Amino acid sequence: MSYLLEKGQWRDWQITSVIVHKGNRKETEWHEGGEDAIGPLYSCTKSVLSALIGIAVDRGDLPGVDEPIDRWFQRYAAGGGDDSWGQITIKQLLTMTPGFEWPDFDKPYWELRKSRDPVAYALNQPLVHLPGHAFTYNSGGSHLLSAILTEATGKSALQYAREHLFEPLGFRAAKWSERGGISEGGTGLALTGNDLVKFGVLYLKEGLWDGKRILSTSWISDSTTMHHRALLHYEPPIYGGFGYHWWCTPSNHNGVADGYFAFGHGGQYLMIVPELDTVIMVRKRITKRNEAIWSRKLIFDIILPGLLRT
């Protein structure tokens, strides 16, 4: 396995970090700088946020995913504006099907970040689809999930994560950008590569960590089931179908095995392949969007075939 990583073309693919965990042990670890370090997850943040929503549901801090979101945004509705978003549910935010007008590839993201109130910005986008039907990749919806978590618990996503996820898993370090006490929902989280792999192993082990239940099996199953075909047919095949802020890639899509993954801008992957008992973390230098295919090739053309041969 190490031979494949050392001799492959991946150095020319701008890969900066690779960790492969299979079963109960680490198969391979390589970092361009020699050591693991904390770094941005970009949109892999969304999958961590999904886990926090699941923990909150499991603990009773949030009701089920079919709850309409308007109960947490009453002060925005009181302003007399368009509050048609009251029909949107937590599940529809998780599956990125709330119906908001949100141009392809998250184009409003920078306007969201620059706005004085990102929650208001996201809520004020017009509804152009019936909630629950059309998929539109939307970091605004992710930020609304983070805001809901904070409204329900009185804690930012980072604070809640430290208590219920990061510390139980023994994370080394974590940073998460925030505005007005609300952790950025769509991105903004930074972790070490090994801590990100621990998060993947938690999912691989169906929510158990050292014999302790961190997340329910049902939440993990629901989260990683394809609820919408989303970008399954996008070329190059760097995305997939969509669950609860997790991407899904069936074997007939990747040519190897069923899996699901967190994906971050430029080719950051946390890939979980349950039937091979494997978690793969790949970080890549940011270049053009579609050059994320090199991370994908590393996973499905080199690493997983190499594991299958051993």
Side-chain angles (χ1 to χ4, degrees), residues 3 30 50 53 71 73 85 104 115-116 122 140 172 177 205 207 219 225 237 265 303:
Y3 172 83
W30 173 85
S50 172
I53 297 295
R71 63 181 289 183
F73 300 120
W85 41 262
D104 287 344
S115 64
R116 294 180 62 183
R172 196 178 90 190
S177 60
K205 302 303 182 184
W219 180 265
T225 295
H265 177 59
I303 295 175

Side-chain angles (χ1 to χ4, degrees), residues 39 47 49 90 96-97 115 134 138 140 145 183 191 195 209 217-218 221 238 251 260:
S47 300
L49 177 62
I90 291 175
M96 292 199 177
T97 60
S115 64
N138 182 340
L145 286 170
S183 301
L191 298 174
D195 286 346
W209 188 263
T217 302
S218 61
S221 176
I238 57 179
S251 58
Y260 56 90

Side-chain angles (χ1 to χ4, degrees), residues 24-299:
N24 294 314
R25 67 187 184 93
K26 194 183 302 180
E27 289 278 335
T28 301
E29 180 173 1
W30 173 85
H31 306 286
E32 184 180 53
E35 295 183 357
D36 192 11
I38 191 169
L41 303 190
Y42 302 98
S43 283
C44 290
T45 299
K46 293 178 172 73
S47 300
V48 177
L49 177 62
S50 172
L52 298 179
I53 297 295
I55 290 170
V57 170
D58 290 343
R59 290 175 50 82
D61 294 334
L62 279 174
V65 297
D66 293 321
E67 186 76 12
I69 68 173
D70 57 345
R71 63 181 289 183
W72 293 283
F73 300 120
Q74 289 301 310
R75 66 183 183 276
Y76 294 94
D82 180 6
D83 61 354
S84 56
W85 41 262
Q87 61 189 292
I88 297 168
T89 64
I90 291 175
K91 180 177 180 178
Q92 288 157 358
L93 291 181
L94 285 166
T95 58
M96 292 199 177
T97 60
F100 288 124
E101 183 176 37
W102 203 270
D104 287 344
F105 295 108
D106 217 21
K107 288 177 183 175
Y109 170 70
W110 291 109
E111 291 299 320
L112 173 79
R113 288 205 69 183
K114 290 187 294 184
S115 64
R116 294 180 62 183
D117 185 341
V119 171
Y121 179 89
L123 290 174
N124 286 337
Q125 302 312 300
L127 285 184
V128 294
H129 303 287
L130 185 67
H133 291 266
F135 173 89
T136 307
Y137 191 78
N138 182 340
S139 288
S142 303
H143 193 70
L144 293 180
L145 286 170
S146 182
I148 289 170
L149 183 66
T150 297
E151 287 286 334
T153 67
K155 300 174 182 178
S156 69
L158 176 58
Q159 292 169 330
Y160 197 78
R162 282 175 172 158
E163 182 176 354
H164 299 294
L165 182 63
F166 296 171
E167 289 181 4
L169 268 59
F171 279 18
R172 196 178 90 190
K175 298 178 182 178
W176 202 333
S177 60
E178 68 174 49
R179 287 275 298 278
I182 299 172
S183 301
E184 190 173 0
T187 183
L189 179 60
L191 298 174
T192 67
N194 277 284
D195 286 346
L196 185 57
V197 168
K198 287 180 180 180
F199 176 63
V201 172
L202 175 70
Y203 270 69
L204 188 67
K205 302 303 182 184
E206 299 185 333
L208 285 175
W209 188 263
D210 289 338
K212 181 180 178 181
R213 173 66 60 188
I214 304 296
L215 196 54
S216 66
T217 302
S218 61
W219 180 265
I220 290 176
S221 176
D222 289 345
S223 298
T224 59
T225 295
M226 190 186 306
H227 291 267
H228 196 285
R229 293 182 64 80
L231 300 179
L232 197 64
H233 296 302
Y234 182 85
E235 289 294 337
I238 57 179
Y239 303 108
F242 211 66
Y244 290 176
H245 273 38
W246 285 91
W247 294 95
C248 306
T249 175
S251 58
N252 61 9
H253 178 246
N254 60 56
V256 181
D258 292 344
Y260 56 90
F261 59 97
F263 176 82
H265 177 59
Q268 327 310 315
Y269 279 90
L270 177 67
M271 182 71 63
I272 295 97
V273 186
E275 65 186 272
L276 299 180
D277 204 15
T278 297
V279 174
I280 302 168
M281 191 284 304
V282 176
R283 279 179 156 151
K284 180 183 171 296
R285 191 168 289 106
I286 301 297
T287 54
K288 297 178 181 178
R289 178 174 61 228
N290 285 351
E291 289 183 356
I293 192 62
W294 300 120
S295 298
R296 182 88 172 191
K297 284 180 177 292
L298 175 60
I299 293 167

